Amino acid sequence: MKTKILTYLRNTDQYLSGEQLSQQFGVSRTAVWKYMKQLKEEGYQIESVPRKGYRLIETADRITSSEILSQNKASWIGKEIEYFESTDSTNNRIRSFAEEGRKQGLLAVAEEQTGGKGRRGRSWDSPPGTGIWMSLLLKPCIEPHKASMITILAALAMARAIEKVTDLSPKIKWPNDIVINRKKTCGILTEMSAELEEIRYIILGIGINANTESFNRDIADKATSIYLENGEKIKRAKLIAEFCMEFEQLYEEFLRCGDLHTIKEAYESYLINIGKIVKIMKNRREEIRKAIGINELGELVVEDAEGRKEIVFSGEVSVRGLYGYV
Ligand code: BTN
């Protein structure tokens, strides 16, 4: 009910009387008053004027389930949300929920992670109030070797969502880092539980440096945030909602065709490595190649000096620019 009232308030700049709201939602005026009180306690600025009613003045930068749900128009991605003020890792939370049999589309969001996990066993700094730390539960009927394609979809969905919510031009560093002005602003960690031929569930974990004001010296040359790039703090729930809507479309399309051929071009339009010379690092060996694009499986297609094409799989290599991270 609180989410419904919030959505209603968000969609008008008029005053809404307690009477109007109580009729609209079939609850008493006292109940309406109580919901308003709860929303104010959550940080919403709601003006209440005698004989006129209530009006939402400003939305707080909260990522609670009501705040996300009131903006998420997807049909099933992120329509059930578990919010944590603080947790070790939202990927761990989704794993427990999956083991309890929760439905796909469930989103876990945390204000803070105390044990945020990055790729290749690294940790992921997740302080409170600045970023988006979230994980999505998926149960696709696809073979386990296709799981990495979901990460490609997520990167494209997030690049599009950032573009919608900001005036920035995000790029994708293959396979799934989002970079802005050549520095990383978002990372994706996909974990999976699978049998030999069947996926039980996938945990799509996404970390976005949204409103981060500074980074530790050791990562400041390769990490950035949306705020550091355009000087504007975003409403994190809006970005989460946009991501859910974009991802749902791409994911359904992917399940329909079974590979990435229909989104290949869109993905490549964001690919920062395209046409560039890259260093492929494989078992401590470095090879210099030119990145051509991706194939329908999401693998990177590269070319050597003689124009011979090769395929690079995401699991086995890391790709760098000739002079640094991209
Ligand atoms: C990377 O190393 O680039 C991936 C980082 C992924 C971080 C996110 S934050 C939400 C989710 N929970 C985690 O513990 N990790 C992912």
Side-chain angles (χ1 to χ4, degrees), residues 117-143:
K117 300 184 282 186
R119 292 175 71 206
R120 299 174 199 277
R122 296 193 191 105
S123 59
W124 182 264
D125 204 18
S126 322
T130 59
I132 296 173
W133 328 123
M134 64 178 182
S135 305
L136 186 62
L137 174 60
L138 297 168
K139 299 183 178 175
C141 293
I142 55 169
E143 296 144 86

Side-chain angles (χ1 to χ4, degrees), residues 89-91 113 116-119 124 134-135 184 187-188 205-207:
S89 154
T90 52
N91 271 29
Q113 290 186 127
K117 300 184 282 186
R119 292 175 71 206
W124 182 264
M134 64 178 182
S135 305
K184 177 163 168 173
I188 302 176
I206 304 180

Side-chain angles (χ1 to χ4, degrees), residues 16 23-24 39 41 78 94 102 104 127 140-141 147 172 219 228 245 253 270 287 312 322-323:
L16 295 168
Q23 275 179 11
Q24 174 73 23
L39 287 169
E41 279 162 8
I94 284 291
R102 298 283 293 267
Q104 67 163 342
C141 293
I172 300 172
I219 54 166
L228 286 174
M245 297 184 263
E253 168 79 6
Y270 288 95
E287 287 169 356
V312 175
L322 211 46
Y323 302 109

Side-chain angles (χ1 to χ4, degrees), residues 226-237:
I226 291 173
Y227 170 70
L228 286 174
E229 294 307 317
N230 70 0
E232 280 170 32
K233 298 239 166 138
I234 58 156
K235 294 283 182 332
R236 290 170 296 159

Side-chain angles (χ1 to χ4, degrees), residues 29 34 57 73 104-105 108 115 127 135 147 176 178 190 211 259-260 280 289 300 307 323-324:
R29 286 179 61 174
K34 277 191 187 148
I57 301 181
K73 297 189 187 73
Q104 67 163 342
S135 305
N176 51 29
I178 307 282
T190 307
N211 296 332
D259 66 25
L260 301 175
I280 314 276
R289 297 284 185 270
L300 189 68
Y323 302 109

Side-chain angles (χ1 to χ4, degrees), residues 179-309:
V179 295
I180 300 176
N181 296 329
R182 311 184 73 78
K183 289 182 172 184
K184 177 163 168 173
T185 188
C186 166
I188 302 176
L189 173 68
T190 307
E191 297 182 287
M192 172 167 72
S193 164
E195 311 287 332
L196 214 51
E197 285 183 0
E198 167 185 279
I199 292 176
R200 289 181 64 226
Y201 57 82
I202 283 180
I203 305 165
L204 183 65
I206 304 180
I208 306 156
N209 300 319
N211 296 332
T212 319
E213 291 180 6
S214 63
F215 288 92
N216 287 341
R217 251 202 284 155
D218 49 329
I219 54 166
D221 59 331
K222 19 185 204 305
T224 192
S225 69
I226 291 173
Y227 170 70
L228 286 174
E229 294 307 317
N230 70 0
E232 280 170 32
K233 298 239 166 138
I234 58 156
K235 294 283 182 332
R236 290 170 296 159
K238 170 106 184 97
L239 182 55
I240 298 174
E242 284 298 342
F243 168 79
C244 292
M245 297 184 263
E246 291 289 343
F247 182 75
E248 184 176 279
Q249 267 186 13
L250 291 168
Y251 182 68
E252 286 181 348
E253 168 79 6
F254 161 68
L255 293 181
R256 261 194 305 275
C257 22
D259 66 25
L260 301 175
H261 77 273
T262 56
I263 67 117
K264 174 179 150 32
E265 232 174 89
Y267 178 90
E268 284 176 345
S269 70
Y270 288 95
L271 193 58
I272 196 159
N273 321 86
I274 204 154
K276 301 272 163 45
I277 302 296
V278 291
K279 265 196 286 193
I280 314 276
M281 290 183 284
K282 195 174 180 179
N283 307 328
R284 300 217 191 111
R285 248 193 20 241
E286 256 184 41
E287 287 169 356
I288 305 295
R289 297 284 185 270
K290 184 172 166 187
I292 305 295
I294 59 162
N295 63 14
E296 70 287 355
L297 305 177
E299 297 154 348
L300 189 68
V301 182
V302 296
E303 195 176 78
D304 68 12
E306 278 74 50
R308 284 183 298 248
K309 291 202 173 40

Side-chain angles (χ1 to χ4, degrees), residues 67-188:
E67 185 61 22
I68 300 166
L69 286 171
S70 67
Q71 300 176 78
N72 181 9
K73 297 189 187 73
S75 353
W76 61 277
I77 294 279
K79 298 302 273 194
E80 246 192 283
I81 297 175
E82 294 289 348
Y83 168 76
F84 299 88
E85 202 64 43
S86 178
T87 189
D88 56 348
S89 154
T90 52
N91 271 29
N92 293 351
R93 296 286 66 73
I94 284 291
R95 185 181 298 282
S96 312
F97 289 132
E99 294 297 338
E100 286 165 15
R102 298 283 293 267
K103 281 198 302 205
Q104 67 163 342
L106 173 67
L107 186 70
V109 188
E111 193 57 78
E112 172 192 43
Q113 290 186 127
T114 52
K117 300 184 282 186
R119 292 175 71 206
R120 299 174 199 277
R122 296 193 191 105
S123 59
W124 182 264
D125 204 18
S126 322
T130 59
I132 296 173
W133 328 123
M134 64 178 182
S135 305
L136 186 62
L137 174 60
L138 297 168
K139 299 183 178 175
C141 293
I142 55 169
E143 296 144 86
H145 75 270
K146 290 190 171 176
S148 60
M149 296 186 212
I150 291 176
T151 322
I152 296 269
L153 299 174
L156 175 57
M158 186 51 79
R160 284 179 168 172
I162 293 176
E163 210 166 46
K164 275 211 171 136
V165 170
T166 70
D167 58 357
L168 295 165
S169 304
K171 295 274 171 205
I172 300 172
K173 174 181 173 285
W174 182 85
N176 51 29
D177 286 352
I178 307 282
V179 295
I180 300 176
N181 296 329
R182 311 184 73 78
K183 289 182 172 184
K184 177 163 168 173
T185 188
C186 166
I188 302 176

